[in-house]
Amino acid sequence: MHLLDWLWSLLFGPPRRSPATGPGSNQEVPRQAPTAAVAATRVRLTRRTYTAPTPVARPAAPTSEQSPYLFARPVAGQAVYLDLTQDTDLPRLEHWGLPLLRTPEDLARWLELTPAQLAWLADRFRDPSRVSLHARGDHYHRRWVPKRRGGRRLIESPKRLLKHVQTRILRQILDRVPPHPSAHGFRRGHSIVSNARPHVGQAVVVRLDLADFYPSVTYSRVVALFRSLGYCREIACWLARLTTTNAPQKLLETSSVNETTLFRRRHLPQGAPTSPALANLSAFVSDLRLDGLARSFGVRYTRYADDLTFSGPATFRNSLRIFIPLVRQILKQERFHLHPGKRRVERASQRQQVTGVVVNAKVNCCRHDFDLLKAILTNCLRHGPSGQNRDGHLHFASHLRGHIAHIARLNERRGRQLLAIYQQIDWTR
């Protein structure tokens, strides 16, 4: 009985005993049944079970013995062809004002290309990973660029013809579909200032970074994105092949396992005009979920490319043990990952920076950047600009003028001070 008494006291408090029995007696006063009012206020928790949704069977693509259109895909082992142009969603295309494209011939005509040029640009009949580096058949200029904090980044810039095609896809398709309102990078009317302004005057600012943002968006995700806009499977595959690439094997011979895994598959190339817009649209669901998570904690959320920023009151800092794992879980479910070495938690007593903009009391520039630029301009005025161009910029005057414009956008008074010094410099010295 002592064990039962201990369990009862642990859960419901010590049992009530009659005064006559004394403290050493084991006779307990019988408990009274709860009243109807007390019983009505008790909440019973029911066990909830998860039922997986029934998968919806996708109708098989129609087939025909003759090719229904140019470049139709044959069925392996059968003398028939797939027709992947029958599932165009016209209401969605009309809603976004997108061009109606059904077949590869329509796409080639819209891009002002011949069908042969379209197939060549999209690598329809070859594997680009087997193309030798710097070959004429490679549609990209590729180079490794070292990162400031170690590691390297692969820059893949499209050549002239493919860049023209991608720019047309960007202007007439991708620019007409808005990303999530929390996304501020690479959007018309948005900038690092609009990304930083929601976090001004907050007690705690948390900055996180996505690892390998562009390579994480694979070919299959881009196909699904164009399908969600209303295009049929055939056109979605062609558009995805025009906007993704995989690196040649020669380029990855000295790469790490992680780099080989990322760049061997088709991915968004960092350097293509369509990649920022495709990355923003691919991250729409993750932005939606992270914004909802932030609202549930009473904090604010914005994203500029791969930089995630959360800010809120002082109590937010006590919730980070729960909040950051939830952010990591959401990103993992959306096939993104946090960079383990780029996490910053900044209080109001520290300098709070969001995408290079100070947000402690107002949108402002960094004092170190202002002092450094002022010192360079002063030395140019006193000793001539030729001795101050230590990084070898071809257009040093334009380079400094751009930095002045950046600071003037954040702090107009400091911008005027720098511009006054700049206008006194003799650039012929």
Side-chain angles (χ1 to χ4, degrees):
M1 294 298 294
H2 295 288
L3 179 61
L4 295 178
D5 291 342
W6 178 78
L7 290 175
W8 183 268
S9 63
L10 181 64
L11 297 175
F12 305 101
R16 292 180 297 175
R17 303 179 185 272
S18 61
T21 56
S25 175
N26 292 330
Q27 298 180 2
E28 300 178 4
V29 177
R31 299 188 306 274
Q32 297 180 356
T35 63
V38 175
T41 58
R42 289 184 177 177
V43 179
R44 290 184 175 273
L45 299 179
T46 58
R47 186 185 183 92
R48 301 187 64 179
T49 58
Y50 172 75
T51 303
T54 304
V56 179
R58 189 174 64 180
T63 59
S64 60
E65 295 184 357
Q66 296 183 351
S67 178
Y69 50 85
L70 189 63
F71 304 131
R73 303 167 191 272
V75 180
Q78 303 180 27
V80 294
Y81 293 86
L82 291 174
D83 188 355
L84 303 180
T85 63
Q86 302 299 316
D87 52 356
T88 302
D89 194 337
L90 290 178
R92 287 192 182 183
L93 294 178
E94 293 175 356
H95 173 73
W96 297 116
L98 304 181
L100 176 60
L101 306 170
R102 293 183 182 272
T103 64
E105 295 98 317
D106 296 339
L107 181 60
R109 193 179 306 112
W110 178 69
L111 293 174
E112 300 178 354
L113 300 173
T114 64
Q117 287 177 316
L118 177 64
W120 177 64
L121 287 176
D123 296 318
R124 178 66 175 82
F125 301 107
R126 66 170 185 171
D127 182 5
S129 64
R130 298 185 178 275
V131 178
S132 60
L133 194 60
H134 306 303
R136 291 185 60 186
D138 191 6
H139 304 305
Y140 291 86
H141 300 287
R142 310 174 196 267
R143 68 183 188 278
W144 292 103
V145 176
K147 298 181 180 180
R148 290 185 301 174
R149 300 184 179 181
R152 57 182 184 174
R153 178 183 291 108
L154 180 59
I155 303 299
E156 299 170 295
S157 304
K159 296 181 180 179
R160 183 176 61 179
L161 180 58
L162 182 58
K163 184 176 182 180
H164 172 75
V165 168
Q166 291 177 346
T167 303
R168 190 178 184 88
I169 295 173
L170 172 67
R171 299 305 179 205
Q172 301 195 22
I173 295 180
L174 300 177
D175 279 351
R176 300 183 181 184
V177 183
H180 192 270
S182 299
H184 293 262
F186 313 107
R187 294 182 60 186
R188 187 171 300 174
H190 294 73
S191 64
I192 59 174
V193 178
S194 65
N195 179 69
R197 188 171 288 116
H199 307 288
V200 172
Q202 298 297 312
V204 179
V205 174
V206 179
R207 294 187 288 132
L208 306 174
D209 192 87
L210 295 177
D212 304 312
F213 184 43
Y214 286 124
S216 299
V217 182
T218 58
Y219 168 78
S220 59
R221 297 185 67 167
V222 179
V223 172
L225 173 61
F226 283 115
R227 294 278 290 121
S228 68
L229 300 183
Y231 286 108
C232 61
R233 279 177 279 179
E234 184 69 31
I235 292 299
C237 291
W238 281 91
L239 290 174
R241 295 188 72 90
L242 288 171
T243 53
T244 59
T245 185
N246 49 349
Q249 294 180 358
K250 286 286 186 181
L251 188 68
L252 302 176
E253 287 181 348
T254 60
S255 301
S256 62
V257 176
N258 182 50
E259 291 174 343
T260 303
T261 303
L262 288 173
F263 299 111
R264 185 174 55 184
R265 62 189 181 184
R266 293 195 74 94
H267 59 275
L268 289 183
Q270 186 168 355
T274 51
S275 294
L278 286 171
N280 274 341
L281 295 177
S282 298
F284 186 92
V285 177
S286 61
D287 288 336
L288 187 68
R289 296 180 64 185
L290 291 176
D291 184 63
L293 177 67
R295 290 176 184 271
S296 67
F297 278 79
V299 300
R300 303 176 181 181
Y301 163 71
T302 61
R303 179 180 62 82
Y304 191 94
D306 56 354
D307 295 326
L308 312 180
T309 307
F310 302 89
S311 65
T315 55
F316 177 47
R317 188 174 182 274
N318 301 328
S319 306
L320 294 181
R321 292 178 55 188
I322 303 174
F323 184 81
I324 293 180
L326 290 176
V327 172
R328 185 182 295 109
Q329 180 180 356
I330 290 175
L331 293 174
K332 185 177 181 180
Q333 292 173 354
E334 299 301 328
R335 290 174 290 178
F336 292 111
H337 300 279
L338 286 178
H339 196 292
K342 293 186 178 181
R343 179 192 303 177
R344 296 290 182 271
V345 179
E346 299 167 342
R347 305 181 187 180
S349 58
Q350 303 170 305
R351 185 179 64 188
Q352 298 173 330
Q353 276 189 287
V354 178
T355 53
V357 180
V358 178
V359 295
N360 287 76
K362 62 179 182 178
V363 171
N364 203 351
C365 63
C366 177
R367 181 58 184 264
H368 174 267
D369 296 340
F370 170 75
D371 291 341
L372 179 61
L373 183 57
K374 183 179 180 181
I376 294 175
L377 293 174
T378 303
N379 289 336
C380 290
L381 178 62
R382 295 176 179 176
H383 310 292
S386 58
Q388 304 302 317
N389 189 10
R390 296 182 175 87
D391 294 331
H393 295 285
L394 294 178
H395 305 283
F396 187 50
S398 301
H399 171 75
L400 295 178
R401 187 66 180 85
H403 280 280
I404 295 174
H406 170 69
I407 290 182
R409 183 171 58 170
L410 302 179
N411 190 312
E412 185 177 356
R413 181 179 59 83
R414 290 182 175 179
R416 288 197 300 267
Q417 294 178 10
L418 297 177
L419 184 60
I421 302 175
Y422 175 86
Q423 294 174 345
Q424 300 177 30
I425 298 176
D426 182 7
W427 296 102
T428 61
R429 295 175 59 186

